[in-house]
Amino acid sequence: MMHILDEIRERFGAEWQNEQRPDLLQIGVQAKTIVPLLTWLKAHTPFVQLTHLSAVDWIEDGEFQLTYLLTDPKAHVSLMVCTRIDREQAEAESIHALWPQAVTYEQEINEMFGIHFPGSPRQGVPFILEGWNDIPPMRRDFDTVAYMNSHHPSRPGREHTDPRAYIGKVFGERGYLHDDD
Amino acid sequence: MPLGIKIAWSFLGVLVAIAYGLVIAGIIRKVMARIQGRIGPPVWQQFIDLGKVIFQRTATRHGWMFYLAPIFRAGGGIGLYLLIPVVIGVPALSNFSFNGDLLLVMYFIFFGSLGMALGAADSGHPHSPIGISRGLSQMTAYELPFALAMVALAAQVHSFSIHDIIMAQQGGILHWNLFANPLAAIAAFIAFLGMNMYAPFNIVGAPQEIPVGPPTEYNSIFLSLMMSGRAILAVAKIVLYMDLFLGGAHSILAAFVKTIIIYFWSVFVGAVFPRFRTEQAVRFFLGWPTVAGIAGVLLVLIR
Amino acid sequence: MDNKPKSTLPVLVEPPKGAQPHGPLGHGYFLGETKRQQALPMRESLAKIKNWFRANSLWVMAYGTGCGGIELRPLTTARFDFERFGMAMRPTPRQSNVIIISGYLAVKSLKRVIRAYEQMPSPKWVVGLGSCTINGGMYWDSYNTINRLDLYVPVDIYIAGCMPRPEALLAGFGELMKMIKRGEANGWNHYLENFDWYKENQKKVINDWNMPDYNW
């Protein structure tokens, strides 16, 4: 299946490529080639099914990574098409014209990461959160502990223990119980 | 017997019928639980439920039809029960049978459902009209074999009086309409499955689809009226079937045994079958049960 | 998504202590202790009878909010069978007496829980199931789950554990029945007496409050 990665690199230009497993290929491309690339993949290759669309926050690089997971349903081979977009101007091209189910993924990513997909329907419509008025919660600069302490206070008397120290105290240095114990 | 005493006895009879209906409902819950390998609630659980429901306060406000529907339901059950003689020869339990009551009984069986339809439409919950529309389509379907069976019996006896039909069956088990006109009996007893709303015809309440169906919004005293209405309607139906097909009853014990047998016909069928879809149920009733009903009428006409 | 200003910090006040006197055995507002009824000679015995009926016919709202919902299903099956105690699942709040908050409660679910709870006819009880309802449990620092259930709805009994097994649930229900018979399960009175306090807390976490203040 490696030949398809080579063909993508020749046609669209890839930044990196990887064969993680025989049935899982990865390729990183420029953001502007995403729509032509996916259109070509859907029209001319067996990768016709959009299985997943997810985002990762690379806050150190100041970038978001978008991962389009395509699947060849006959050969059961998946292809991860990865791209990086700027974290400040978080905008990506919508692929809802290729796969209608992408609307839901883009809606969720828009809500959880604040990435905007111009032209995609239901952008900004609440999907999981209701009445959220903070920065999108899946961004890594969102401090969940501070948010919880300020919005949902704990009952007095909650104790915190360091898990490693506690397990060592209870189960000994080995850190787990064995059948022989 | 003076009319006043008759009315008093009938009032008592209605209370006994409600209690009997609640007891058999409790027995059914126990039987279902044992079939599923559970211990099950006590037999008197229905009484506890009824009491608890009465002791609840309600603040639900919908329209006037919402309040009237449980009254229609209970009134339909009580009216049906009062028309059917329970035990022959015991004046207190022979109720208000008169010439031509079979027609009125056929109407009263469906009266409660129609009232329920109006009330459910007023409650505003989407599950209620869905359940009602499913129930009414099923009702239209099982009414056909049921009505054909009634016509066959009436043509056989040349009378629309339940009392006459009972009297024509006296003189031995083989004179019962169950054996005298088996085709009509088959049609009627299959229609009975649909009437009792147990599986495979429990498409009105349909637990996994429209959780409780029509009574979704009813609580408190309305629900208690509907529970007692359902209980007395069940009793009235099995007493009607006993009168029409099992030769009536001359003692309370015989009435008890015969009604239990008739009711458990639908319970045992319900315990082992899954549910039909609505259109499947309609097709089923309009299929060979209707053919059996027509054949029952023809059997009478040929003889 | 635009970044709106953060909501103000909630200032939680303890619920007012010293609730107003109830009728005998937990009878409160919805049972209407009028002057005439207070003068009845049998009112204590009648209350006991009513509470016995209520305790032996608990209808549970079939609504699972979190992972604890998976522990409710075995209760209806042959192994644990809570129907022998007269309990049953009702799919509609109008016919339920008990609502079980089964585990973590997202703010979005809290809105539905409040709606369902207020639609239930009194008397009604709330069972907090699992550590999440007590103090957030393992989801204490999640961005969208509440930490303390009793700030928003009155909880009559907690069943601790993560998750409590069905045996623990049955034990909790048994304890709830005893409390009802003794007239101690009074959360629904507490809710009505401190209605403003509960509403204030609810509106602090539910930002898009698009329902009436009380759901009839």
PDB file of all heavy atoms in Angstrom, chain C residues 53-84:
ATOM      1  N   PHE C  53     -47.778   2.877  52.599  1.00  0.00           N
ATOM      2  CA  PHE C  53     -48.108   2.664  51.194  1.00  0.00           C
ATOM      3  C   PHE C  53     -46.994   3.202  50.297  1.00  0.00           C
ATOM      4  O   PHE C  53     -46.576   2.560  49.336  1.00  0.00           O
ATOM      5  CB  PHE C  53     -49.429   3.359  50.844  1.00  0.00           C
ATOM      6  CG  PHE C  53     -50.640   2.508  51.092  1.00  0.00           C
ATOM      7  CD1 PHE C  53     -51.407   2.673  52.224  1.00  0.00           C
ATOM      8  CD2 PHE C  53     -51.007   1.545  50.184  1.00  0.00           C
ATOM      9  CE1 PHE C  53     -52.523   1.898  52.453  1.00  0.00           C
ATOM     10  CE2 PHE C  53     -52.125   0.759  50.396  1.00  0.00           C
ATOM     11  CZ  PHE C  53     -52.880   0.939  51.533  1.00  0.00           C
ATOM     12  N   ARG C  54     -46.516   4.412  50.628  1.00  0.00           N
ATOM     13  CA  ARG C  54     -45.498   5.028  49.776  1.00  0.00           C
ATOM     14  C   ARG C  54     -44.210   4.225  49.788  1.00  0.00           C
ATOM     15  O   ARG C  54     -43.562   4.039  48.757  1.00  0.00           O
ATOM     16  CB  ARG C  54     -45.209   6.438  50.272  1.00  0.00           C
ATOM     17  CG  ARG C  54     -46.311   7.379  49.917  1.00  0.00           C
ATOM     18  CD  ARG C  54     -46.110   8.696  50.601  1.00  0.00           C
ATOM     19  NE  ARG C  54     -47.273   9.519  50.431  1.00  0.00           N
ATOM     20  CZ  ARG C  54     -47.727  10.355  51.348  1.00  0.00           C
ATOM     21  NH1 ARG C  54     -47.105  10.482  52.501  1.00  0.00           N
ATOM     22  NH2 ARG C  54     -48.794  11.058  51.111  1.00  0.00           N
ATOM     23  N   ALA C  55     -43.828   3.744  50.968  1.00  0.00           N
ATOM     24  CA  ALA C  55     -42.555   3.047  51.072  1.00  0.00           C
ATOM     25  C   ALA C  55     -42.598   1.717  50.339  1.00  0.00           C
ATOM     26  O   ALA C  55     -41.574   1.258  49.838  1.00  0.00           O
ATOM     27  CB  ALA C  55     -42.198   2.821  52.541  1.00  0.00           C
ATOM     28  N   ASN C  56     -43.771   1.096  50.262  1.00  0.00           N
ATOM     29  CA  ASN C  56     -43.831  -0.226  49.658  1.00  0.00           C
ATOM     30  C   ASN C  56     -44.184  -0.179  48.179  1.00  0.00           C
ATOM     31  O   ASN C  56     -44.446  -1.220  47.587  1.00  0.00           O
ATOM     32  CB  ASN C  56     -44.851  -1.089  50.400  1.00  0.00           C
ATOM     33  CG  ASN C  56     -44.271  -1.589  51.694  1.00  0.00           C
ATOM     34  OD1 ASN C  56     -43.314  -2.330  51.699  1.00  0.00           O
ATOM     35  ND2 ASN C  56     -44.819  -1.122  52.788  1.00  0.00           N
ATOM     36  N   SER C  57     -44.260   0.988  47.627  1.00  0.00           N
ATOM     37  CA  SER C  57     -44.537   1.065  46.197  1.00  0.00           C
ATOM     38  C   SER C  57     -43.713   2.207  45.607  1.00  0.00           C
ATOM     39  O   SER C  57     -44.243   3.222  45.196  1.00  0.00           O
ATOM     40  CB  SER C  57     -46.032   1.277  45.978  1.00  0.00           C
ATOM     41  OG  SER C  57     -46.274   1.647  44.663  1.00  0.00           O
ATOM     42  N   LEU C  58     -42.384   2.023  45.624  1.00  0.00           N
ATOM     43  CA  LEU C  58     -41.507   3.065  45.073  1.00  0.00           C
ATOM     44  C   LEU C  58     -41.389   2.863  43.577  1.00  0.00           C
ATOM     45  O   LEU C  58     -40.977   1.812  43.106  1.00  0.00           O
ATOM     46  CB  LEU C  58     -40.116   2.977  45.706  1.00  0.00           C
ATOM     47  CG  LEU C  58     -39.990   3.373  47.161  1.00  0.00           C
ATOM     48  CD1 LEU C  58     -38.563   3.174  47.600  1.00  0.00           C
ATOM     49  CD2 LEU C  58     -40.388   4.803  47.337  1.00  0.00           C
ATOM     50  N   TRP C  59     -41.783   3.867  42.825  1.00  0.00           N
ATOM     51  CA  TRP C  59     -41.615   3.799  41.372  1.00  0.00           C
ATOM     52  C   TRP C  59     -40.435   4.677  41.010  1.00  0.00           C
ATOM     53  O   TRP C  59     -40.386   5.860  41.351  1.00  0.00           O
ATOM     54  CB  TRP C  59     -42.878   4.252  40.659  1.00  0.00           C
ATOM     55  CG  TRP C  59     -43.971   3.238  40.748  1.00  0.00           C
ATOM     56  CD1 TRP C  59     -43.894   1.999  41.310  1.00  0.00           C
ATOM     57  CD2 TRP C  59     -45.317   3.369  40.279  1.00  0.00           C
ATOM     58  NE1 TRP C  59     -45.094   1.363  41.218  1.00  0.00           N
ATOM     59  CE2 TRP C  59     -45.976   2.165  40.589  1.00  0.00           C
ATOM     60  CE3 TRP C  59     -46.009   4.378  39.620  1.00  0.00           C
ATOM     61  CZ2 TRP C  59     -47.309   1.954  40.266  1.00  0.00           C
ATOM     62  CZ3 TRP C  59     -47.328   4.158  39.306  1.00  0.00           C
ATOM     63  CH2 TRP C  59     -47.967   2.948  39.620  1.00  0.00           C
ATOM     64  N   VAL C  60     -39.483   4.066  40.321  1.00  0.00           N
ATOM     65  CA  VAL C  60     -38.209   4.717  40.054  1.00  0.00           C
ATOM     66  C   VAL C  60     -38.250   5.313  38.656  1.00  0.00           C
ATOM     67  O   VAL C  60     -38.658   4.660  37.708  1.00  0.00           O
ATOM     68  CB  VAL C  60     -37.054   3.706  40.171  1.00  0.00           C
ATOM     69  CG1 VAL C  60     -35.745   4.375  39.881  1.00  0.00           C
ATOM     70  CG2 VAL C  60     -37.046   3.089  41.544  1.00  0.00           C
ATOM     71  N   MET C  61     -37.829   6.544  38.560  1.00  0.00           N
ATOM     72  CA  MET C  61     -37.706   7.196  37.264  1.00  0.00           C
ATOM     73  C   MET C  61     -36.599   6.497  36.469  1.00  0.00           C
ATOM     74  O   MET C  61     -35.466   6.426  36.934  1.00  0.00           O
ATOM     75  CB  MET C  61     -37.356   8.659  37.496  1.00  0.00           C
ATOM     76  CG  MET C  61     -37.034   9.401  36.255  1.00  0.00           C
ATOM     77  SD  MET C  61     -38.468  10.182  35.607  1.00  0.00           S
ATOM     78  CE  MET C  61     -37.818  10.700  34.048  1.00  0.00           C
ATOM     79  N   ALA C  62     -36.937   5.980  35.307  1.00  0.00           N
ATOM     80  CA  ALA C  62     -35.953   5.250  34.500  1.00  0.00           C
ATOM     81  C   ALA C  62     -35.097   6.251  33.732  1.00  0.00           C
ATOM     82  O   ALA C  62     -35.345   6.536  32.581  1.00  0.00           O
ATOM     83  CB  ALA C  62     -36.656   4.292  33.550  1.00  0.00           C
ATOM     84  N   TYR C  63     -34.127   6.819  34.423  1.00  0.00           N
ATOM     85  CA  TYR C  63     -33.283   7.840  33.795  1.00  0.00           C
ATOM     86  C   TYR C  63     -31.886   7.685  34.346  1.00  0.00           C
ATOM     87  O   TYR C  63     -31.665   7.878  35.536  1.00  0.00           O
ATOM     88  CB  TYR C  63     -33.853   9.226  34.103  1.00  0.00           C
ATOM     89  CG  TYR C  63     -33.047  10.378  33.549  1.00  0.00           C
ATOM     90  CD1 TYR C  63     -32.764  10.449  32.202  1.00  0.00           C
ATOM     91  CD2 TYR C  63     -32.588  11.378  34.375  1.00  0.00           C
ATOM     92  CE1 TYR C  63     -32.038  11.486  31.699  1.00  0.00           C
ATOM     93  CE2 TYR C  63     -31.861  12.435  33.879  1.00  0.00           C
ATOM     94  CZ  TYR C  63     -31.580  12.485  32.529  1.00  0.00           C
ATOM     95  OH  TYR C  63     -30.860  13.520  32.032  1.00  0.00           O
ATOM     96  N   GLY C  64     -30.958   7.295  33.500  1.00  0.00           N
ATOM     97  CA  GLY C  64     -29.594   7.130  33.943  1.00  0.00           C
ATOM     98  C   GLY C  64     -28.751   8.287  33.449  1.00  0.00           C
ATOM     99  O   GLY C  64     -28.707   8.562  32.262  1.00  0.00           O
ATOM    100  N   THR C  65     -28.094   8.999  34.368  1.00  0.00           N
ATOM    101  CA  THR C  65     -27.314  10.152  33.945  1.00  0.00           C
ATOM    102  C   THR C  65     -25.873   9.791  33.652  1.00  0.00           C
ATOM    103  O   THR C  65     -25.236  10.439  32.842  1.00  0.00           O
ATOM    104  CB  THR C  65     -27.335  11.235  35.016  1.00  0.00           C
ATOM    105  OG1 THR C  65     -26.799  10.677  36.209  1.00  0.00           O
ATOM    106  CG2 THR C  65     -28.732  11.701  35.276  1.00  0.00           C
ATOM    107  N   GLY C  66     -25.335   8.825  34.355  1.00  0.00           N
ATOM    108  CA  GLY C  66     -23.925   8.527  34.193  1.00  0.00           C
ATOM    109  C   GLY C  66     -23.701   7.037  34.096  1.00  0.00           C
ATOM    110  O   GLY C  66     -24.610   6.272  33.786  1.00  0.00           O
ATOM    111  N   CYS C  67     -22.458   6.625  34.392  1.00  0.00           N
ATOM    112  CA  CYS C  67     -22.134   5.217  34.244  1.00  0.00           C
ATOM    113  C   CYS C  67     -22.891   4.364  35.258  1.00  0.00           C
ATOM    114  O   CYS C  67     -23.015   3.166  35.092  1.00  0.00           O
ATOM    115  CB  CYS C  67     -20.635   5.001  34.376  1.00  0.00           C
ATOM    116  SG  CYS C  67     -19.862   5.987  35.643  1.00  0.00           S
ATOM    117  N   GLY C  68     -23.385   4.974  36.340  1.00  0.00           N
ATOM    118  CA  GLY C  68     -24.118   4.204  37.336  1.00  0.00           C
ATOM    119  C   GLY C  68     -25.411   3.634  36.815  1.00  0.00           C
ATOM    120  O   GLY C  68     -25.976   2.737  37.430  1.00  0.00           O
ATOM    121  N   GLY C  69     -25.890   4.157  35.677  1.00  0.00           N
ATOM    122  CA  GLY C  69     -27.108   3.600  35.117  1.00  0.00           C
ATOM    123  C   GLY C  69     -26.975   2.124  34.812  1.00  0.00           C
ATOM    124  O   GLY C  69     -27.957   1.383  34.860  1.00  0.00           O
ATOM    125  N   ILE C  70     -25.722   1.679  34.575  1.00  0.00           N
ATOM    126  CA  ILE C  70     -25.518   0.273  34.251  1.00  0.00           C
ATOM    127  C   ILE C  70     -25.766  -0.606  35.471  1.00  0.00           C
ATOM    128  O   ILE C  70     -26.042  -1.778  35.359  1.00  0.00           O
ATOM    129  CB  ILE C  70     -24.095   0.073  33.695  1.00  0.00           C
ATOM    130  CG1 ILE C  70     -24.019  -1.164  32.836  1.00  0.00           C
ATOM    131  CG2 ILE C  70     -23.080  -0.015  34.792  1.00  0.00           C
ATOM    132  CD1 ILE C  70     -24.667  -1.023  31.520  1.00  0.00           C
ATOM    133  N   GLU C  71     -25.667  -0.002  36.672  1.00  0.00           N
ATOM    134  CA  GLU C  71     -25.908  -0.790  37.878  1.00  0.00           C
ATOM    135  C   GLU C  71     -27.390  -0.871  38.213  1.00  0.00           C
ATOM    136  O   GLU C  71     -27.773  -1.619  39.095  1.00  0.00           O
ATOM    137  CB  GLU C  71     -25.162  -0.184  39.075  1.00  0.00           C
ATOM    138  CG  GLU C  71     -23.672  -0.079  38.882  1.00  0.00           C
ATOM    139  CD  GLU C  71     -22.990  -1.428  38.904  1.00  0.00           C
ATOM    140  OE1 GLU C  71     -23.558  -2.357  39.474  1.00  0.00           O
ATOM    141  OE2 GLU C  71     -21.903  -1.539  38.321  1.00  0.00           O
ATOM    142  N   LEU C  72     -28.203  -0.054  37.553  1.00  0.00           N
ATOM    143  CA  LEU C  72     -29.635  -0.104  37.830  1.00  0.00           C
ATOM    144  C   LEU C  72     -30.302  -1.248  37.086  1.00  0.00           C
ATOM    145  O   LEU C  72     -31.284  -1.805  37.555  1.00  0.00           O
ATOM    146  CB  LEU C  72     -30.303   1.208  37.423  1.00  0.00           C
ATOM    147  CG  LEU C  72     -29.920   2.421  38.231  1.00  0.00           C
ATOM    148  CD1 LEU C  72     -30.559   3.658  37.654  1.00  0.00           C
ATOM    149  CD2 LEU C  72     -30.379   2.233  39.651  1.00  0.00           C
ATOM    150  N   ARG C  73     -29.793  -1.572  35.907  1.00  0.00           N
ATOM    151  CA  ARG C  73     -30.439  -2.597  35.077  1.00  0.00           C
ATOM    152  C   ARG C  73     -30.461  -3.958  35.742  1.00  0.00           C
ATOM    153  O   ARG C  73     -31.479  -4.641  35.684  1.00  0.00           O
ATOM    154  CB  ARG C  73     -29.779  -2.670  33.702  1.00  0.00           C
ATOM    155  CG  ARG C  73     -30.329  -1.682  32.707  1.00  0.00           C
ATOM    156  CD  ARG C  73     -30.021  -0.314  33.129  1.00  0.00           C
ATOM    157  NE  ARG C  73     -30.648   0.725  32.311  1.00  0.00           N
ATOM    158  CZ  ARG C  73     -30.714   1.974  32.701  1.00  0.00           C
ATOM    159  NH1 ARG C  73     -30.246   2.321  33.877  1.00  0.00           N
ATOM    160  NH2 ARG C  73     -31.256   2.882  31.966  1.00  0.00           N
ATOM    161  N   PRO C  74     -29.355  -4.383  36.393  1.00  0.00           N
ATOM    162  CA  PRO C  74     -29.429  -5.699  37.041  1.00  0.00           C
ATOM    163  C   PRO C  74     -30.504  -5.780  38.108  1.00  0.00           C
ATOM    164  O   PRO C  74     -30.962  -6.869  38.431  1.00  0.00           O
ATOM    165  CB  PRO C  74     -28.037  -5.870  37.665  1.00  0.00           C
ATOM    166  CG  PRO C  74     -27.167  -5.007  36.886  1.00  0.00           C
ATOM    167  CD  PRO C  74     -27.993  -3.837  36.483  1.00  0.00           C
ATOM    168  N   LEU C  75     -30.914  -4.642  38.648  1.00  0.00           N
ATOM    169  CA  LEU C  75     -31.934  -4.691  39.690  1.00  0.00           C
ATOM    170  C   LEU C  75     -33.251  -5.248  39.174  1.00  0.00           C
ATOM    171  O   LEU C  75     -34.040  -5.779  39.935  1.00  0.00           O
ATOM    172  CB  LEU C  75     -32.185  -3.278  40.238  1.00  0.00           C
ATOM    173  CG  LEU C  75     -31.094  -2.712  41.111  1.00  0.00           C
ATOM    174  CD1 LEU C  75     -31.487  -1.339  41.572  1.00  0.00           C
ATOM    175  CD2 LEU C  75     -30.868  -3.593  42.303  1.00  0.00           C
ATOM    176  N   THR C  76     -33.521  -5.099  37.889  1.00  0.00           N
ATOM    177  CA  THR C  76     -34.791  -5.585  37.372  1.00  0.00           C
ATOM    178  C   THR C  76     -34.708  -7.033  36.931  1.00  0.00           C
ATOM    179  O   THR C  76     -35.719  -7.605  36.574  1.00  0.00           O
ATOM    180  CB  THR C  76     -35.222  -4.743  36.161  1.00  0.00           C
ATOM    181  OG1 THR C  76     -34.233  -4.886  35.154  1.00  0.00           O
ATOM    182  CG2 THR C  76     -35.341  -3.292  36.528  1.00  0.00           C
ATOM    183  N   THR C  77     -33.520  -7.604  36.954  1.00  0.00           N
ATOM    184  CA  THR C  77     -33.362  -8.951  36.413  1.00  0.00           C
ATOM    185  C   THR C  77     -33.472  -9.987  37.511  1.00  0.00           C
ATOM    186  O   THR C  77     -33.683  -9.671  38.684  1.00  0.00           O
ATOM    187  CB  THR C  77     -32.009  -9.084  35.712  1.00  0.00           C
ATOM    188  OG1 THR C  77     -31.001  -8.782  36.669  1.00  0.00           O
ATOM    189  CG2 THR C  77     -31.906  -8.138  34.563  1.00  0.00           C
ATOM    190  N   ALA C  78     -33.320 -11.244  37.115  1.00  0.00           N
ATOM    191  CA  ALA C  78     -33.625 -12.352  38.028  1.00  0.00           C
ATOM    192  C   ALA C  78     -32.701 -12.367  39.239  1.00  0.00           C
ATOM    193  O   ALA C  78     -33.094 -12.785  40.313  1.00  0.00           O
ATOM    194  CB  ALA C  78     -33.503 -13.667  37.268  1.00  0.00           C
ATOM    195  N   ARG C  79     -31.472 -11.891  39.105  1.00  0.00           N
ATOM    196  CA  ARG C  79     -30.537 -12.079  40.204  1.00  0.00           C
ATOM    197  C   ARG C  79     -30.861 -11.171  41.390  1.00  0.00           C
ATOM    198  O   ARG C  79     -30.773 -11.586  42.542  1.00  0.00           O
ATOM    199  CB  ARG C  79     -29.117 -11.796  39.712  1.00  0.00           C
ATOM    200  CG  ARG C  79     -28.065 -12.266  40.678  1.00  0.00           C
ATOM    201  CD  ARG C  79     -26.701 -12.094  40.066  1.00  0.00           C
ATOM    202  NE  ARG C  79     -25.672 -12.538  40.976  1.00  0.00           N
ATOM    203  CZ  ARG C  79     -25.255 -13.784  41.060  1.00  0.00           C
ATOM    204  NH1 ARG C  79     -25.793 -14.704  40.306  1.00  0.00           N
ATOM    205  NH2 ARG C  79     -24.301 -14.119  41.908  1.00  0.00           N
ATOM    206  N   PHE C  80     -31.251  -9.941  41.118  1.00  0.00           N
ATOM    207  CA  PHE C  80     -31.464  -9.006  42.230  1.00  0.00           C
ATOM    208  C   PHE C  80     -32.933  -8.641  42.408  1.00  0.00           C
ATOM    209  O   PHE C  80     -33.389  -8.478  43.510  1.00  0.00           O
ATOM    210  CB  PHE C  80     -30.619  -7.749  42.016  1.00  0.00           C
ATOM    211  CG  PHE C  80     -29.166  -8.047  41.961  1.00  0.00           C
ATOM    212  CD1 PHE C  80     -28.479  -8.040  40.768  1.00  0.00           C
ATOM    213  CD2 PHE C  80     -28.490  -8.369  43.117  1.00  0.00           C
ATOM    214  CE1 PHE C  80     -27.137  -8.338  40.718  1.00  0.00           C
ATOM    215  CE2 PHE C  80     -27.142  -8.667  43.073  1.00  0.00           C
ATOM    216  CZ  PHE C  80     -26.470  -8.650  41.873  1.00  0.00           C
ATOM    217  N   ASP C  81     -33.674  -8.478  41.347  1.00  0.00           N
ATOM    218  CA  ASP C  81     -35.126  -8.382  41.341  1.00  0.00           C
ATOM    219  C   ASP C  81     -35.696  -7.434  42.387  1.00  0.00           C
ATOM    220  O   ASP C  81     -36.153  -7.836  43.446  1.00  0.00           O
ATOM    221  CB  ASP C  81     -35.743  -9.772  41.537  1.00  0.00           C
ATOM    222  CG  ASP C  81     -37.255  -9.694  41.424  1.00  0.00           C
ATOM    223  OD1 ASP C  81     -37.739  -8.809  40.716  1.00  0.00           O
ATOM    224  OD2 ASP C  81     -37.935 -10.522  42.053  1.00  0.00           O
ATOM    225  N   PHE C  82     -35.664  -6.138  42.118  1.00  0.00           N
ATOM    226  CA  PHE C  82     -36.221  -5.212  43.110  1.00  0.00           C
ATOM    227  C   PHE C  82     -37.736  -5.123  43.047  1.00  0.00           C
ATOM    228  O   PHE C  82     -38.333  -4.436  43.847  1.00  0.00           O
ATOM    229  CB  PHE C  82     -35.559  -3.835  43.004  1.00  0.00           C
ATOM    230  CG  PHE C  82     -35.916  -3.014  41.793  1.00  0.00           C
ATOM    231  CD1 PHE C  82     -35.561  -1.666  41.743  1.00  0.00           C
ATOM    232  CD2 PHE C  82     -36.586  -3.534  40.724  1.00  0.00           C
ATOM    233  CE1 PHE C  82     -35.873  -0.886  40.654  1.00  0.00           C
ATOM    234  CE2 PHE C  82     -36.906  -2.764  39.624  1.00  0.00           C
ATOM    235  CZ  PHE C  82     -36.550  -1.448  39.601  1.00  0.00           C
ATOM    236  N   GLU C  83     -38.365  -5.854  42.124  1.00  0.00           N
ATOM    237  CA  GLU C  83     -39.824  -5.808  42.084  1.00  0.00           C
ATOM    238  C   GLU C  83     -40.423  -6.506  43.290  1.00  0.00           C
ATOM    239  O   GLU C  83     -41.574  -6.247  43.653  1.00  0.00           O
ATOM    240  CB  GLU C  83     -40.331  -6.454  40.791  1.00  0.00           C
ATOM    241  CG  GLU C  83     -41.689  -5.922  40.374  1.00  0.00           C
ATOM    242  CD  GLU C  83     -42.246  -6.618  39.165  1.00  0.00           C
ATOM    243  OE1 GLU C  83     -41.646  -7.582  38.699  1.00  0.00           O
ATOM    244  OE2 GLU C  83     -43.310  -6.188  38.704  1.00  0.00           O
ATOM    245  N   ARG C  84     -39.657  -7.395  43.945  1.00  0.00           N
ATOM    246  CA  ARG C  84     -40.214  -8.058  45.129  1.00  0.00           C
ATOM    247  C   ARG C  84     -40.420  -7.079  46.268  1.00  0.00           C
ATOM    248  O   ARG C  84     -41.119  -7.383  47.228  1.00  0.00           O
ATOM    249  CB  ARG C  84     -39.340  -9.227  45.558  1.00  0.00           C
ATOM    250  CG  ARG C  84     -37.943  -8.836  45.960  1.00  0.00           C
ATOM    251  CD  ARG C  84     -37.032 -10.027  45.901  1.00  0.00           C
ATOM    252  NE  ARG C  84     -35.672  -9.594  45.638  1.00  0.00           N
ATOM    253  CZ  ARG C  84     -34.662  -9.818  46.478  1.00  0.00           C
ATOM    254  NH1 ARG C  84     -34.854 -10.470  47.575  1.00  0.00           N
ATOM    255  NH2 ARG C  84     -33.454  -9.383  46.175  1.00  0.00           N
TER     256      ARG C  84
END
